[in-house]
Amino acid sequence: MAKTVFITGTSTGIGAACVRLFAQHGWQVAATMRNPADAKFDDLPSVRVYALDVTDGAAVTRVIAQAHQDFGSLDVLVNNAGYGLVGPFEAATDAQIQTQFATNVFGVFAVTRAALPFMRAQKSGVIINITSVGGRTAFPMNSLYHATKFGLDGFSESLWFELAPFGIQVKVVAPGGVATDFATRSLQMTIDPADDSNPYAGQVRSVLNAFSSRSGNASTAEQIAEVIYTAATDGSSQLRYIAGADAQQVLGAKANMTDEAYLAMTQKNFGLAE
Ligand SMILES: NC(=O)c1ccc[n+]([C@@H]2O[C@H](COP(=O)([O-])OP(=O)(O)OC[C@H]3O[C@@H](n4cnc5c(N)ncnc54)[C@H](OP(=O)(O)O)[C@@H]3O)[C@@H](O)[C@H]2O)c1
């Protein structure tokens, strides 16, 4: 019988590329997204689209159960839905902070908790949490996004132990820069970088410029989907998959430097120091 993957946030980017790749490999795919009108999978008969906002706990429970009933199994969960909140921490509103965590962290908790009874019953499963290079190292002006991705990284490492006795693998895929809607449509800001009356505006502009000057190094969503597919199917106990040459380079550098040297280098790279 074909295996089933359940993926969150599949309207664009990495999630949409994952839907296509798993379907092309013969999988049954539960493609979930906030607005099903955004789906572009009519050419893929093994894909079913479900409306799901991961911040809606009742919908999470209902949609996981519906997908399990429709497909008869739940073999892989890809927690992909997420977005970046960028800008100085001091300016973030309660609503911005809450929505960032509701989506990137509590959404993952809800979907994972709803999937576990099905995976435990079948004594197998793979849970893949899409974190970021920013779940292992921090860049300036992204404190709240990093808090969510570092949080997911630790959550995943602890769950790895807890679920192993049930035959359930937990994995983290940590991409570097990826050419998706992440830095455009999906990005939220805590300040207007053009507002020179804000004392952080200059720092924010430097950081945004540094990110955009690196955009040529970005991976494609399809390349990250290949890493996710490997994580789903390699049968290994590997916890972390660092996805993209840029992510491997930065984490490799960090591993070989003192914290102080690494922080000073990063400060310089983002135009925040001479
Ligand atoms: N692109 C990068 O450079 C990069 C690097 C490292 C990690 N990541 C991670 O990769 C994941 C996918 O991002 P992407 O690069 O593919 O960006 P993207 O094209 O902006 O896709 C993000 C997806 O998340 C969905 N989403 C946002 N809030 C949601 C919610 N409350 N419920 C359900 N879906 C929601 C969006 O849905 P709507 O269409 O409804 O907005 C969209 O489908 C994210 O977790 C991101 O943090 C991205």
Side-chain angles (χ1 to χ4, degrees):
M1 194 176 115
K3 290 193 164 189
T4 305
V5 59
F6 186 102
I7 311 173
T8 64
T10 63
S11 62
T12 55
I14 296 168
C18 268
V19 171
R20 295 205 154 269
L21 186 63
F22 278 85
Q24 282 156 6
H25 281 284
W27 286 61
Q28 304 179 133
V29 184
T32 72
M33 64 186 73
R34 286 194 282 201
N35 182 3
D38 294 338
K40 302 167 203 82
F41 310 126
D42 286 349
D43 55 322
L44 300 169
S46 68
V47 176
R48 278 184 192 237
V49 175
Y50 300 86
L52 182 62
D53 181 328
V54 298
T55 66
D56 179 344
V60 166
T61 310
R62 180 170 33 80
V63 172
I64 288 257
Q66 185 64 52
H68 185 266
Q69 187 179 318
D70 292 343
F71 288 123
S73 65
L74 176 48
D75 300 290
V76 174
L77 165 62
V78 181
N79 282 311
N80 167 73
Y83 72 94
L85 176 61
V86 171
F89 167 71
E90 184 185 340
T93 64
D94 286 349
Q96 285 177 321
I97 296 171
Q98 277 154 8
T99 308
Q100 175 76 140
F101 275 79
T103 307
N104 292 15
V105 181
F106 302 141
V108 173
F109 292 174
V111 178
T112 303
R113 206 170 44 174
L116 281 175
F118 297 108
M119 290 185 169
R120 274 194 307 99
Q122 71 195 15
K123 299 185 173 59
S124 67
V126 184
I127 297 169
I128 302 174
N129 294 330
I130 310 307
T131 60
S132 169
V133 63
R136 300 292 290 170
T137 191
F139 305 121
M141 287 296 155
N142 280 262
S143 58
L144 291 160
Y145 180 68
H146 287 302
T148 68
K149 295 298 189 178
F150 272 68
L152 278 191
D153 188 81
F155 168 68
S156 306
E157 186 167 323
S158 186
L159 268 196
W160 186 99
F161 300 107
E162 181 173 323
L163 298 179
F166 300 104
I168 301 169
Q169 298 166 350
V170 179
K171 292 170 178 259
V172 163
V173 171
V178 192
T180 64
D181 291 353
F182 181 81
T184 53
R185 170 181 76 90
S186 300
L187 198 73
Q188 306 283 321
M189 301 284 308
T190 66
I191 65 161
D192 173 1
D195 175 8
D196 274 321
S197 69
N198 189 294
Y200 294 99
Q203 280 195 67
V204 174
R205 286 198 295 268
S206 289
V207 169
L208 292 177
N209 285 341
F211 276 124
S212 68
S213 72
R214 295 168 178 200
S215 60
N217 300 330
S219 301
T220 63
E222 289 71 25
Q223 287 171 319
I224 305 303
E226 290 285 354
V227 178
I228 294 167
Y229 188 76
T230 298
T233 56
D234 68 7
S236 80
S237 58
Q238 184 176 336
L239 170 63
R240 288 191 188 87
Y241 297 71
I242 308 303
D246 58 340
Q248 282 162 1
Q249 192 266 329
V250 76
L251 294 180
K254 185 176 186 182
N256 289 307
M257 296 171 83
T258 62
D259 275 359
E260 293 68 31
Y262 179 78
L263 291 169
M265 181 187 78
T266 303
Q267 206 170 23
K268 202 167 164 197
N269 288 346
F270 280 90
L272 302 180
E274 289 311 306

